[in-house]
Amino acid sequence: MAADTQGTPIVEMRSIEKVFGAVQALRSVDLVLHPGEILGLVGDNSAGKSTLMKILTGAYQRDAGEIFVAGHPVHFRSPHESRDVGIEMIYQDFALCGNMDVGQNIFLGRWPLKGPFVDRRKMYAEADKVLKRLKVDVNSVYQKVESLSGGRQQSVAIARAISFEPQVVILDEPTANLSVMATERLLETMLELKRQGVAQVIISHRLVDIFAVGDRVMVLKRGEYVGDRYIKHTDEHEILEIIVSGTRERALTAEQAVR
């Protein structure tokens, strides 16, 4: 499913500000994300990428600015509230329980019940259904997560996020510690999510991965928006120049972020 950039953005962040003590982490940052779009969010280590996404998910509270989801104003006080409207974030550490199996991790904290007991048959059937939807190759829903490779553990983390039926998935440095083969599988999973209409934001230093699957790339530097390009109209060299120079451009409005 192609990115639907003709209608209302699934996410719009306007003039977002965040201060930590004496540090201005974000300064009047705008972001637009459309349904089914894959947006790469790039910049150096102090750019504010993760801070901006943690504000979107409710892990941090913004000091100023507005957030709209599907055109409706929102103010998330916790990740549970952002999850309720279809926003999921997958962190680098995956937040899995290694001593539990794949099915238990996918439904961790919300295991289906049959009376007072866990309905294990339903849990594993539903877990298997999610994995098949993603077309990932985890061997068994009964396998302990700690026995899986890093790439397969990440597939489980994504499957858990997808089990909530999100509209937006945020991936924080998703390929940082993966092998070449695992990275290829992950990028295929991202494209499968895109075909299913799930919008994604990829926080990454690896431009090659963003250019492999992304629709658009946005650059932050020292907490400010400095540039936004469609992948088909740019290359890695231009994006690196924007990251290094930090020359601020006018952010795309929701209307301008339409192909």
Side-chain angles (χ1 to χ4, degrees):
M1 183 174 183
D4 175 15
T5 58
Q6 300 303 313
T8 303
I10 188 62
V11 170
E12 187 171 4
M13 305 179 78
R14 301 177 184 169
S15 302
I16 301 298
E17 305 253 346
K18 183 63 181 175
V19 175
F20 295 104
V23 178
Q24 180 94 35
L26 294 171
R27 190 188 305 274
S28 193
V29 175
D30 296 339
L31 179 145
V32 176
L33 180 70
H34 287 275
E37 182 179 33
I38 298 180
L39 174 67
L41 188 58
V42 303
D44 57 30
N45 288 330
S46 59
K49 307 180 298 295
S50 293
T51 299
L52 184 65
M53 290 299 97
K54 286 178 180 178
I55 287 173
L56 176 57
T57 62
Y60 290 163
Q61 302 301 300
R62 65 186 185 266
D63 294 323
E66 299 174 290
I67 300 176
F68 299 84
V69 174
H72 301 289
V74 295
H75 188 101
F76 302 132
R77 291 165 294 185
S78 73
H80 293 291
E81 293 186 359
S82 65
R83 173 174 286 164
D84 287 344
V85 300
I87 298 173
E88 287 285 332
M89 185 163 180
I90 301 168
Y91 294 93
Q92 281 183 269
D93 64 2
F94 308 148
L96 300 173
C97 293
N99 63 335
M100 294 184 177
D101 62 37
V102 170
Q104 290 170 322
N105 268 278
I106 290 176
F107 288 97
L108 188 64
R110 54 194 175 94
W111 296 328
L113 298 177
K114 192 172 186 179
F117 304 106
V118 175
D119 188 341
R120 298 177 66 85
R121 178 177 294 180
K122 181 178 181 180
M123 179 178 71
Y124 289 118
E126 291 296 320
D128 188 60
K129 187 184 298 183
V130 173
L131 292 169
K132 285 179 178 174
R133 173 185 167 186
L134 290 175
K135 300 181 180 178
V136 298
D137 59 352
V138 173
N139 294 330
S140 169
V141 292
Y142 303 102
Q143 189 171 358
K144 290 286 180 67
V145 163
E146 63 191 4
S147 70
L148 300 175
S149 67
R152 287 188 170 87
Q153 286 189 25
Q154 187 163 58
S155 294
V156 174
I158 294 173
R160 183 175 61 191
I162 292 305
S163 71
F164 286 96
E165 297 293 334
Q167 301 178 79
V168 177
V169 173
I170 303 159
L171 300 105
D172 189 5
E173 297 290 352
T175 61
N177 301 308
L178 299 186
S179 66
V180 172
M181 185 175 296
T183 295
E184 289 176 357
R185 284 198 299 264
L186 176 62
L187 297 179
E188 289 170 4
T189 299
M190 291 179 186
L191 290 174
E192 181 60 31
L193 289 176
K194 176 183 173 67
R195 283 190 285 271
Q196 296 176 19
V198 179
Q200 297 160 78
V201 179
I202 310 171
I203 303 171
S204 183
H205 288 90
R206 289 177 52 85
L207 290 178
V208 63
D209 297 334
I210 290 172
F211 273 75
V213 297
D215 297 297
R216 191 160 48 93
V217 58
M218 172 176 157
V219 184
L220 296 180
K221 191 175 182 72
R222 292 190 292 274
E224 295 189 47
Y225 167 97
V226 291
D228 199 324
R229 296 286 188 277
Y230 283 106
I231 295 293
K232 64 183 181 181
H233 296 150
T234 190
D235 55 31
E236 292 182 39
H237 179 72
E238 183 184 18
I239 298 303
L240 285 170
E241 283 188 343
I242 296 172
I243 292 172
V244 172
S245 71
T247 303
R248 186 169 186 177
E249 303 173 354
R250 176 174 293 180
L252 295 182
T253 65
E255 291 75 22
Q256 290 169 330
V258 175
R259 295 178 193 170

